[in-house]
Amino acid sequence: MQVLKLCLPILATSLLHLSGYEEWFICLSKPKRNLCIIQLLSCLQLAFVGVIYPCLVLQYMGQAAFLSKNMPAVYDSFYLSIPSPLFWPVFVIATLAAVVGSQAIISATFSIVKQCLALGCFPRVKVVHTSRWIHGQIYIPEINWILMVLCLAVALGFRDITVIGNAYGLACITVMFVTTCLMSLVIIFVWQKNVLVSLLFLVFFGAIEAAYLSAAVMKVPQGGWAPIALAFVFMSIMYVWHYGTRRKYMFDLQNKVSMKWILNLGPSLGIMRVPGIGLIYTELVTGVPAIFSHFVTNLPAFHQVLVFVCVKSVPVPYVPIDERYLIGRIGPREYRMYRCIVRYGYKDVQKDDENFENHLVMSIARFVQMEAEESASSGSYESSTEGRMAVVHTTDTTGTGLVVRDSTDDDAAAAGTSSLTRSSKSETLRSLQEIYELENAGSVSRRRRVRFQIDEEERIDPRVRDELSDLLEAKEAGVAYIIGHSYVKARKNSNLLKTFAINYAYSFLRKNCRGPSVTLHIPHISLIEVGMIYYV
């Protein structure tokens, strides 16, 4: 019954989605919505208890009665027990039932892959959420194609329903036995029950399932090897991806560099600050990644304003704009370096890059104002807590010191010309920029063009005004997205197994999965990829 209570809400919401009433359901008020779903669940419960379950019991009882008098028909008891006039109607119903039953396997596969993606145990694939308010209702095109190919391979390879049944039986009983073992852990750690209760549960149900499992193991040479081989392949892929990703992250964590150390090298390296905003994407929420030091060491110049961006996915449908951006500062104020943690829900999609840049500028401006107010109350403007993050609101422009207005076409053209003139004096680069704007005129025109100005009527501290002025000047000069294009290699003293896992298996998976720039929806024209070899 507990499983039934968990499954019924999913069935109810899926029924609404399939029937086309999902949008109508969302528009209802919360009390009416709760009443609607309670009535729908009651109908499903009555249908299951009053129709589905009795039919299921009668069907198995009928097969048992038929086999008691016709033991030679055990190989196909279901169809042989059906009267001849009802064979084809039952055949059609059984085929449709098999199609419906396959949806459970597909949905479970999508759900497991989604959880593995969240844990970093599976290569990046495209996940499409088909519902606005159901977290588990997803579709993964790549996995769907893989399941189709595997189904065809099993059907064409075995060509024997008995062999396929052996493989299916071993897979089912193994899943049941593993579920029982995991359920015993849930009883202890989640339900906080006595260990003896968990042990009794495991012994009672585990003994029954172990008996069936021992019988199914005997069928391994006769088709039972197929689920074992598939499980080994997918487990190897998951382990290699998790191992390589973990080693790469640990390399970044252990090789974080001090921003003060980099800036102290400025006079010797000749580091220059060029116009514009540089968005450096990293997985670290603290410290400066090694990819940035590698970039600065080989190209001693970075943007006038630097923002280290860390994108995190949270298990909620939508993250409000006012709660999406966490802003902090790196180093002293005159460095103009910030850290931004962007939180997206599983239904949030970053479609308008210009809108993201505007929200980011507004968030930094508000953070500067908030920090100045706190410093004024403490009596020291220079005191800034490095590493402190604050949630900032971007929907309301009050308190940011900025005025936002929509740009006309003339203003936009003037802004584009001035930014291009400041960012580069090369005639070649200017001509390339003009060609790109002409080719992408449709997508550019659909964006909302806005311009930021410092509010002259608001009383702003001169030092805050200077920082906001630098921020707006950098925004008008352009935004560049800097992301690491890493090559993970095993160290020379690594053993043969680690070398194969990192240099070949993990490298193959990285080359054939979705790239970070695609996942993060980074515009190609503004993308800068920094290559770096990770020796792990």
Side-chain angles (χ1 to χ4, degrees):
M1 291 303 295
Q2 295 295 331
V3 176
L4 181 60
K5 290 180 181 179
L6 294 174
C7 292
L8 283 177
I10 300 177
L11 291 174
T13 51
S14 300
L15 183 61
L16 286 170
H17 177 70
L18 293 175
S19 60
Y21 285 100
E22 184 181 10
E23 297 295 334
W24 166 81
F25 183 78
I26 295 173
C27 297
L28 293 177
S29 61
K30 189 173 183 180
K32 292 183 179 180
R33 187 185 303 176
N34 293 336
L35 180 61
C36 179
I37 197 169
I38 288 173
Q39 293 176 349
L40 185 57
L41 291 177
S42 300
C43 294
L44 290 174
Q45 288 177 339
L46 291 175
F48 183 85
V49 176
V51 179
I52 299 175
Y53 186 72
C55 292
L56 186 64
V57 173
L58 290 175
Q59 191 270 334
Y60 280 118
M61 290 175 63
Q63 283 194 57
F66 176 78
L67 288 175
S68 64
K69 294 184 178 181
N70 301 274
M71 285 301 297
V74 67
Y75 67 93
D76 195 11
S77 61
F78 177 76
Y79 287 108
L80 293 177
S81 63
I82 300 172
S84 299
L86 298 177
F87 175 81
W88 287 110
V90 173
F91 178 80
V92 173
I93 294 175
T95 304
L96 296 176
V99 172
V100 173
S102 66
Q103 298 303 310
I105 299 177
I106 298 172
S107 300
T109 305
F110 290 166
S111 179
I112 292 173
V113 171
K114 178 66 171 63
Q115 296 300 323
C116 292
L117 285 173
L119 297 174
C121 298
F122 201 84
R124 291 182 294 268
V125 293
K126 182 179 181 180
V127 179
V128 180
H129 293 269
T130 58
S131 174
R132 293 176 56 188
W133 58 289
I134 307 172
H135 176 64
Q137 191 166 311
I138 58 177
Y139 170 70
I140 305 178
E142 292 89 343
I143 300 301
N144 198 40
W145 281 98
I146 291 175
L147 290 176
M148 185 199 72
V149 173
L150 290 177
C151 287
L152 294 176
V154 170
L156 296 177
F158 288 135
R159 298 183 181 181
D160 189 349
I161 191 65
T162 303
V163 179
I164 296 177
N166 294 336
Y168 175 78
L170 179 61
C172 284
I173 192 60
T174 303
V175 169
M176 295 174 63
F177 183 75
V178 172
T179 303
T180 300
C181 296
L182 295 177
M183 190 64 191
S184 62
L185 298 178
V186 171
I187 294 174
I188 299 175
F189 296 105
V190 179
W191 294 353
Q192 301 294 325
K193 299 295 183 180
N194 197 318
V195 179
L196 183 60
V197 176
S198 175
L199 186 61
L200 291 175
F201 173 85
L202 180 62
V203 170
F204 179 76
F205 291 99
I208 298 174
E209 293 167 356
Y212 283 103
L213 182 61
S214 63
V217 169
M218 302 298 294
K219 300 294 184 180
V220 170
Q222 304 171 1
W225 57 268
I228 297 177
L230 290 175
F232 176 77
V233 170
F234 281 98
M235 186 182 68
S236 301
I237 292 174
M238 293 171 60
Y239 178 79
V240 168
W241 180 263
H242 181 265
Y243 178 75
T245 305
R246 185 66 180 174
R247 297 296 298 179
K248 178 179 176 296
Y249 177 78
M250 293 302 298
F251 181 90
D252 279 332
L253 198 62
Q254 296 171 0
N255 292 272
K256 291 190 300 185
V257 294
S258 171
M259 181 59 64
K260 186 177 296 186
W261 175 79
I262 293 178
L263 294 178
N264 288 338
L265 294 178
S268 60
L269 290 178
I271 294 180
M272 299 179 59
R273 305 294 290 267
V274 297
I277 298 179
L279 303 183
I280 302 174
Y281 282 81
T282 175
E283 297 179 1
L284 302 178
V285 295
T286 59
V288 178
I291 193 72
F292 178 69
S293 63
H294 180 73
F295 173 72
V296 173
T297 303
N298 292 275
L299 183 63
F302 50 86
H303 293 82
Q304 180 181 356
V305 175
L306 278 182
V307 184
F308 292 88
V309 181
C310 180
V311 179
K312 293 295 182 182
S313 178
V314 292
V316 295
Y318 296 98
V319 176
I321 297 296
D322 287 344
E323 301 177 5
R324 178 168 296 173
Y325 298 92
L326 280 77
I327 305 295
R329 186 184 294 276
I330 297 178
R333 299 177 190 272
E334 59 270 14
Y335 288 179
R336 305 294 190 257
M337 298 181 183
Y338 310 93
R339 184 182 305 280
C340 176
I341 299 177
V342 188
R343 299 177 295 183
Y344 285 104
Y346 62 84
K347 285 294 293 179
D348 287 322
V349 179
Q350 183 183 342
K351 294 182 178 179
D352 191 352
D353 305 297
E354 186 74 20
N355 196 34
F356 167 74
E357 296 170 4
N358 295 335
H359 282 301
L360 184 61
V361 171
M362 292 295 298
S363 301
I364 296 176
R366 184 177 291 275
F367 172 79
V368 171
Q369 286 284 69
M370 291 170 53
E371 193 179 40
E373 292 174 0
E374 294 180 1
S375 300
S377 61
S378 63
S380 176
Y381 179 81
E382 298 301 329
S383 61
S384 61
T385 305
E386 184 174 348
R388 173 182 173 273
M389 306 293 294
V391 179
V392 295
H393 307 287
T394 58
T395 55
D396 187 10
T397 60
T398 58
T400 60
L402 301 180
V403 176
V404 183
R405 68 181 182 88
D406 292 336
S407 297
T408 62
D409 293 338
D410 295 338
D411 293 337
T417 304
S418 60
S419 63
L420 185 60
T421 303
R422 274 200 308 272
S423 59
S424 176
K425 296 181 180 180
S426 172
E427 294 291 341
T428 304
L429 293 180
R430 282 203 295 267
S431 62
L432 290 175
Q433 179 73 13
E434 292 174 357
I435 294 173
Y436 172 77
E437 291 178 352
L438 290 175
E439 292 178 351
N440 298 271
S443 61
V444 173
S445 61
R446 287 192 297 267
R447 294 181 179 179
R448 181 195 174 196
R449 296 183 179 273
V450 298
R451 294 192 65 184
F452 296 97
Q453 293 179 347
I454 299 178
D455 192 354
E456 300 296 339
E457 299 180 358
E458 187 176 349
R459 297 183 59 184
I460 305 176
D461 187 279
R463 289 167 292 191
V464 175
R465 185 181 294 273
D466 292 340
E467 188 168 0
L468 294 179
S469 177
D470 292 343
L471 178 63
L472 297 187
E473 183 181 352
K475 172 64 171 64
E476 292 179 2
V479 179
Y481 297 79
I482 303 173
I483 192 171
H485 189 86
S486 56
Y487 300 88
V488 183
K489 300 290 184 181
R491 295 178 180 176
K492 294 183 179 180
N493 57 352
S494 301
N495 55 52
L496 183 62
L497 183 61
K498 179 181 178 181
T499 303
F500 174 79
I502 297 296
N503 292 356
Y504 297 99
Y506 181 70
S507 177
F508 175 80
L509 293 176
R510 280 182 59 88
K511 291 178 180 178
N512 291 275
C513 71
R514 289 169 62 87
S517 60
V518 178
T519 305
L520 297 172
H521 302 277
I522 296 176
H524 180 71
I525 190 62
S526 305
L527 176 62
I528 301 175
E529 288 188 329
V530 181
M532 181 177 177
I533 299 179
Y534 287 69
Y535 288 101
V536 298

